[in-house]
């Protein structure tokens, strides 16, 4: 097995004001060329996890424990400047709504060229040629004309292609995509996912793909991490998430899945709500909504228990659910 490119160990993130934890004991690893899906209901901490890895946590939040290693280097001990440098060079992130990440008053071509000049040391002429080639690669029609456009002159799908171009311009080894297609209509979603998958294969990228959509998980991820209320509920090869889900929460997610032919929007909700930050139950965070919960589930958060190779679930009843 290749050495992981990204390794997160025992990560905890808390509200800076009260110390209430948002993420607890989250560990994961991601190999070069691998796609790890992160799935969970709204508020489960998916974006906070991504921002923590990128070193982009807002001031209101703080990493209180845990380590993050990229290519064997510890990121958490880096100065903000050094972390920013790694972010520009080795890892990149694309967001759900590209409009918020693009500079609205700068032509999109210029935004790509800036990365190429700053990060790859290219001359203006080389950067222009490379930006044109990248636009062609991400299938932006009429690249020369599109390079001169401002973000608002492009469709949502085109803007997301521009974001992908900017993310890939520095040739990162790790790409984090946080709900990269949920703001787009279904046909465009499929095209952007295909593009991400092709680019990931072509470049041997490690891809951390955050999504609500189990259809997306099925289509392009190798492994899946299920987050519930800031803790890992289950981690498994993607196939096993569908064929042999071990955690009651994963099962509930699968059961609440919208029909594949219907609108692929937010997950249809599971009865009850994700507990709020600062008001987490003392035991398993899913216990109040879990039809399998028993006494011990109420007292202490369950540890991850291995159920098969590369498959583990944080449930005291693993193997008993039938
Ligand atoms: N800047 C912040 N200040 C205070 N609380 C925050 C902040 N950012 C996130 N949180 C809280 O952290 C928790 C996790 O949020 P996060 O955005 O990571 O969820 P998510 O899984 O990405 O949800 P969604 O699917 O809706 O994007 C939520 O309870 C949220 O309210
Ligand atoms: Mg989010």
């Amino acid at each position: 097995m290749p050495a992981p490119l990204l390794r997160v160990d025992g990560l905890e993130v808390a509200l800076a004001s009260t110390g209430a934890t948002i993420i607890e004991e989250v560990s994961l690893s991601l190999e070069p060329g691998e796609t790890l899906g992160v799935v969970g209901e709204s508020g489960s901490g998916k974006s906070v996890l991504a921002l923590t890895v990128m070193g982009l946590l807002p001031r209101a939040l703080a990493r209180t424990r845990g380590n993050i290693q990229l290519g064997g280097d510890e990121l958490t001990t880096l100065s903000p400047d050094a972390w920013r440098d790694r972010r520009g060079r080795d890892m990149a992130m694309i967001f759900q709504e590209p409009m918020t990440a693009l500079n609205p008053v700068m032509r999109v071509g210029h935004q790509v060229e800036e990365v190429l000049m700053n990060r790859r040391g290219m001359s203006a002429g080389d950067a222009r040629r490379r930006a044109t080639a990248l636009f062609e690669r991400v299938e932006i029609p009429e690249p020369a004309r599109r390079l001169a456009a401002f973000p608002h002159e492009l469709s949502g799908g085109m803007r997301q292609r521009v974001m992908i171009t900017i993310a890939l311009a520095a040739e990162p080894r790790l790409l984090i995509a946080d709900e990269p297609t949920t703001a787009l209509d279904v046909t465009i979603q499929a095209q952007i996912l295909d593009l991400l998958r092709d680019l990931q294969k072509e470049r041997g990228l490690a891809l951390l793909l955050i999504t609500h959509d189990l259809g997306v998980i099925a289509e392009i991820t190798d492994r899946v991490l299920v987050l519930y209320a800031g803790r890992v509920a289950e981690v498994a090869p993607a196939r096993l998430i569908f064929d042999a889900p071990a955690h009651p929460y994963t099962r509930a997610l699968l059961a609440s899945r919208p029909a594949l032919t219907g609108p692929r929007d937010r997950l249809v909700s599971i009865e009850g709500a994700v507990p709020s930050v600062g008001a987490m139950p003392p035991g398993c965070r899913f216990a109040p909504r879990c039809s399998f919960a028993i006494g011990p589930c109420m007292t202490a958060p369950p540890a991850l228990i291995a159920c098969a190779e590369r498959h583990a679930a944080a449930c005291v009843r693993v193997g008993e659910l039938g």
Side-chain angles (χ1 to χ4, degrees):
M1 208 178 290
L5 173 68
L6 175 69
R7 182 190 281 280
V8 173
D9 254 317
L11 191 66
E12 182 179 290
V13 175
L15 282 178
S17 52
T18 63
T21 56
I22 291 178
I23 282 183
E24 265 185 28
E25 286 184 40
V26 169
S27 298
L28 61 89
S29 69
L30 183 57
E31 291 160 18
E34 189 184 32
T35 298
L36 177 70
V38 177
V39 69
E41 282 164 289
S42 190
S44 53
K46 304 180 299 293
S47 295
V48 167
L49 170 63
L51 293 171
T52 312
V53 171
M54 293 297 288
L56 286 173
L57 272 184
R59 272 180 209 286
L61 310 183
R63 188 186 51 83
T64 40
R65 269 171 209 261
N67 299 93
I68 304 168
Q69 288 183 351
L70 186 72
D73 301 332
E74 182 62 41
L75 298 183
T76 59
T77 51
L78 293 179
S79 68
D81 279 351
W83 202 329
R84 184 177 328 116
D85 186 56
R86 294 301 295 261
R87 187 156 70 233
R89 240 168 351 104
D90 289 338
M91 51 186 187
M93 182 158 167
I94 51 182
F95 299 87
Q96 175 173 341
E97 184 31 81
M99 204 56 197
T100 57
L102 290 168
N103 182 338
V105 296
M106 195 192 274
R107 295 181 196 280
V108 293
H110 196 144
Q111 300 187 48
V112 178
E113 289 157 22
E114 223 175 35
V115 177
L116 292 165
M117 291 189 286
N118 294 341
R119 295 292 176 179
R120 314 267 335 273
M122 287 188 181
S123 68
D126 285 348
R128 170 51 56 111
R129 280 185 284 279
R130 179 79 183 134
T132 311
L134 283 170
F135 269 28
E136 273 165 13
R137 174 62 197 90
V138 300
E139 290 157 26
I140 295 179
E142 299 182 77
R145 191 166 69 83
R146 289 297 182 3
L147 285 166
F150 289 99
H152 72 267
E153 296 173 322
L154 301 175
S155 67
M158 284 302 143
R159 282 202 288 265
Q160 197 55 294
R161 287 173 198 270
V162 171
M163 266 316 298
I164 293 171
T165 310
I166 292 173
L168 294 181
E171 306 203 350
R173 295 185 288 163
L174 170 67
L175 179 64
I176 300 183
D178 189 357
E179 310 264 13
T181 60
T182 27
L184 306 171
D185 75 48
V186 180
T187 352
I188 310 293
Q189 281 187 13
Q191 292 170 5
I192 297 283
L193 275 183
D194 282 349
L195 175 66
L196 272 179
R197 184 180 42 202
D198 292 348
L199 290 166
Q200 185 263 335
K201 288 220 167 82
E202 216 170 275
R203 294 163 177 247
L205 278 172
L207 177 61
L208 189 77
L209 180 70
I210 294 171
T211 178
H212 276 89
D213 188 337
L214 290 162
V216 170
I217 294 282
E219 243 165 85
I220 77 167
T221 67
D222 301 308
R223 280 190 308 129
V224 181
L225 183 95
V226 181
L227 270 188
Y228 184 77
R231 281 182 158 261
V232 176
E234 182 162 1
V235 59
R239 189 180 46 80
L240 291 182
I241 285 291
F242 295 96
D243 295 352
H247 196 289
Y249 178 59
T250 312
R251 293 175 171 220
L253 277 183
L254 288 164
S256 68
R257 193 177 169 191
L260 274 180
T261 47
R264 281 182 169 197
D265 199 355
R266 305 258 130 170
L267 291 167
V268 176
S269 68
I270 301 165
E271 210 170 304
V274 182
S276 356
V277 172
M280 292 294 167
C284 171
R285 291 175 169 191
F286 187 58
R289 300 168 81 184
C290 180
S291 49
F292 298 96
I294 51 175
C297 305
M298 310 301 172
T299 51
L304 273 172
I305 297 171
C307 9
E309 204 188 335
R310 311 203 85 191
H311 186 182
C315 177
V316 296
R317 304 206 60 193
V318 158
E320 288 176 38
L321 305 183

